[in-house]
């Protein structure tokens, strides 16, 4: 069978492996779709998993967003059967996180699910949910966790920075949560069109629009602790990972606003702690999906047409290297999902 890995900076390799042999507690998944994530791009840039301060790395099997169908079931497994369609919790694998430094990657023909258990390592999906949309389960769990961390209420006014999959996913979850007004900020016009298509109430193109001024127009006037006029925005979500986002949020925040950081910061800069003090802003970090990985599954199925809009490219596994090049090229693609039709 084929598997995708990286073992040198900038390199993506399709290697041949033996088809896995399952144990009594395992199931074997025929992967039908797997998304490409920014974490994959990081591993490719580094050439693998960092092993030492000197920059040494080891090869990494890529892919942590798989969806597929079960083709073999171990003798001690209960609740799962051949033919079940499932999504995967990559963090539940005993041999390490799937596609993120563990022994296994999801961008392969067949994936061994070790110690398989419904609700812990996999969740069964309905036949009506296409595999490419099901492959969004993991990133949408990340987005759901950041919304859960925000504790957004229906009466809140929220701005999401970054119209990539996580930011757009957050916007969808906010609207499904009943949040009154959600604004999405980005610099790419096509992404902002997608934001409106999935339910955002308004968008801001920060390449030529003043974000603070537009938030004042959209959300009305609030004030910081000193009485200075600020947008009446309750929650700022950073799904972009740019220092300018943090600076804009702290400079714009009203008294009691929250800043939820879900993106990995690409370059750190000094944060104006004085501005945070003047607004009593709460900084909330959001990492992964402690409980959300399968919390989102049924809702993705229910609202699949909305989530399907997040996928910009569907690329067959035979063209896996092209798929990764698309994902690695800034502005070339929003969300790339690799599909599998010719297993080996």
């Amino acid at each position: 069978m084929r598997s995708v890995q990286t073992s040198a900076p900038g390199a993506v390799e399709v290697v041949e492996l033996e088809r896995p042999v399952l144990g009594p507690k395992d199931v074997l998944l025929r992967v039908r779709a797997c998304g490409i994530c920014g974490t994959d791009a990081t591993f490719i840039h580094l050439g693998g998993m960092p092993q030492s301060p000197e920059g040494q790395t080891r090869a990494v099997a890529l892919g942590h967003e798989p969806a597929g169908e079960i083709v073999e079931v171990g003798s001690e497994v209960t609740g799962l059967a051949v033919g079940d369609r499932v999504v995967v919790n990559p963090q539940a694998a005993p041999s390490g996180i799937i596609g993120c430094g563990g022994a296994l990657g999801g961008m392969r023909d067949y994936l061994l699910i070790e110690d398989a258990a419904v609700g812990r390592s996999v969740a069964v999906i309905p036949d009506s949910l296409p595999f490419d949309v099901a492959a969004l389960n993991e990133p949408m769990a990340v987005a759901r966790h950041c919304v859960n961390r925000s504790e957004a209420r229906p009466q809140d006014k929220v701005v999401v920075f970054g119209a990539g999959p996580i930011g757009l996913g957050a916007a969808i979850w906010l609207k499904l949560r009943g949040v009154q007004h959600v604004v999405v900020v980005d610099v790419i016009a096509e992404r902002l069109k997608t934001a409106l298509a999935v339910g955002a109430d308004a968008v801001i193109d920060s390449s030529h629009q003043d974000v603070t001024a537009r938030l004042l127009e959209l959300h009305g006037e609030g004030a910081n602790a000193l009485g200075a006029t600020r947008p009446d925005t309750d929650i700022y979500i950073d799904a972009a990972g740019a220092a300018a986002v943090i600076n804009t949020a702290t400079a714009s925040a009203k008294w009691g606003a929250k800043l939820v950081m879900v993106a990995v910061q690409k370059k750190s800069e000094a944060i104006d702690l004085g501005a945070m003090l003047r607004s009593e802003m709460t900084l909330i970090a959001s990492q992964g999906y402690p409980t959300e990985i399968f919390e989102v599954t049924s809702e993705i199925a229910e609202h699949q047409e909305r989530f399907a809009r997040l996928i910009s490219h569907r690329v067959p596994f035979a063209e896996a290297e092209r798929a990764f090049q698309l994902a690695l090229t800034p502005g070339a693609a929003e969300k790339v999902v690799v599909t599998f039709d010719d297993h080996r």
Side-chain angles (χ1 to χ4, degrees):
M1 71 169 196
R2 301 160 300 177
S3 177
V4 179
Q5 68 175 35
T6 182
S7 59
V12 175
E13 306 165 278
V14 179
V15 298
E16 289 288 339
L17 301 174
E18 293 294 323
R19 179 167 160 166
V21 177
L22 74 165
K25 297 181 179 180
D26 308 329
V27 300
L28 188 64
L29 184 70
R30 176 187 286 126
V31 178
R32 297 294 301 274
C34 187
I36 298 177
C37 172
T39 305
D40 296 313
T42 299
F43 287 133
I44 294 167
H45 174 73
L46 295 172
M49 173 66 71
Q51 290 288 92
S52 70
E54 292 75 31
Q56 293 175 320
T57 62
R58 62 172 172 81
V60 171
L62 296 172
H64 58 275
E65 301 177 4
E69 58 187 328
I70 294 174
V71 292
E72 293 183 46
V73 178
S75 60
E76 296 179 19
V77 176
T78 59
L80 293 168
V82 170
D84 282 346
R85 299 154 56 94
V86 299
V87 289
V88 175
N89 178 4
Q91 296 189 6
S95 58
I97 300 175
I98 294 169
C100 290
L104 306 171
M107 193 69 73
R108 59 179 57 197
D109 287 304
Y110 294 93
L111 174 62
L112 186 69
I113 306 297
E114 306 161 292
D115 293 351
V118 175
R120 186 185 71 228
S121 51
V122 297
V124 178
I125 60 174
D127 291 346
S128 59
L129 181 61
F131 285 114
D132 57 351
V133 182
L136 298 173
N137 192 87
E138 195 271 354
M140 291 306 98
V142 173
R144 178 67 158 261
H145 182 54
C146 97
V147 170
N148 285 348
R149 290 282 285 156
S150 79
E151 299 181 329
R153 305 161 300 174
Q155 66 267 33
D156 283 333
K157 288 168 277 190
V158 183
V159 57
V160 178
F161 290 87
I166 303 301
L168 293 176
I172 293 173
W173 293 130
L174 287 163
K175 294 309 295 183
L176 291 177
R177 195 181 179 108
V179 171
Q180 174 191 159
H181 198 273
V182 177
V183 181
V184 175
V185 181
D186 206 288
V187 296
I188 300 175
E190 199 62 33
R191 288 185 173 189
L192 295 175
K193 289 180 184 177
T194 304
L196 291 171
V198 300
D201 298 288
V203 296
I204 299 172
D205 187 337
S206 57
S207 69
H208 65 271
Q209 292 180 295
D210 184 297
V211 173
T212 302
R214 279 293 288 143
L215 288 176
L216 278 166
E217 294 173 3
L218 293 164
H219 288 168
E221 291 188 3
N224 68 8
L226 301 181
T229 299
R230 295 290 185 267
D232 197 31
T233 305
D234 300 289
I235 299 169
Y236 296 77
I237 293 178
D238 175 15
V245 171
I246 304 295
N247 295 334
T248 298
T250 54
S252 304
K254 70 173 184 178
W255 195 0
K258 298 177 183 178
L259 169 59
V260 182
M261 184 177 65
V262 63
V264 176
Q265 294 298 308
K266 300 173 182 64
K267 182 181 179 182
S268 61
E269 289 188 12
I271 297 174
D272 187 348
L273 297 178
M276 294 189 75
L277 181 65
R278 290 188 293 274
S279 63
E280 288 196 346
M281 177 177 245
T282 301
L283 174 60
I284 301 168
S286 177
Q287 171 68 39
Y289 34 84
T291 62
E292 290 85 357
I293 185 65
F294 300 136
E295 176 186 317
V296 301
T297 307
S298 62
E299 290 178 73
I300 292 173
E302 181 181 356
H303 303 280
Q304 61 182 269
E305 291 184 6
R306 188 182 293 195
F307 286 101
R309 290 180 179 270
L310 304 187
I311 304 172
S312 62
H313 293 76
R314 296 164 176 85
V315 180
F317 186 61
E319 301 175 36
E321 293 181 53
R322 180 174 73 85
F324 278 93
Q325 284 305 313
L326 273 172
L328 289 167
T329 303
E334 309 310 327
K335 182 64 177 180
V336 179
V337 175
V338 174
T339 59
F340 294 69
D341 294 318
D342 59 333
H343 292 79
R344 294 181 190 170

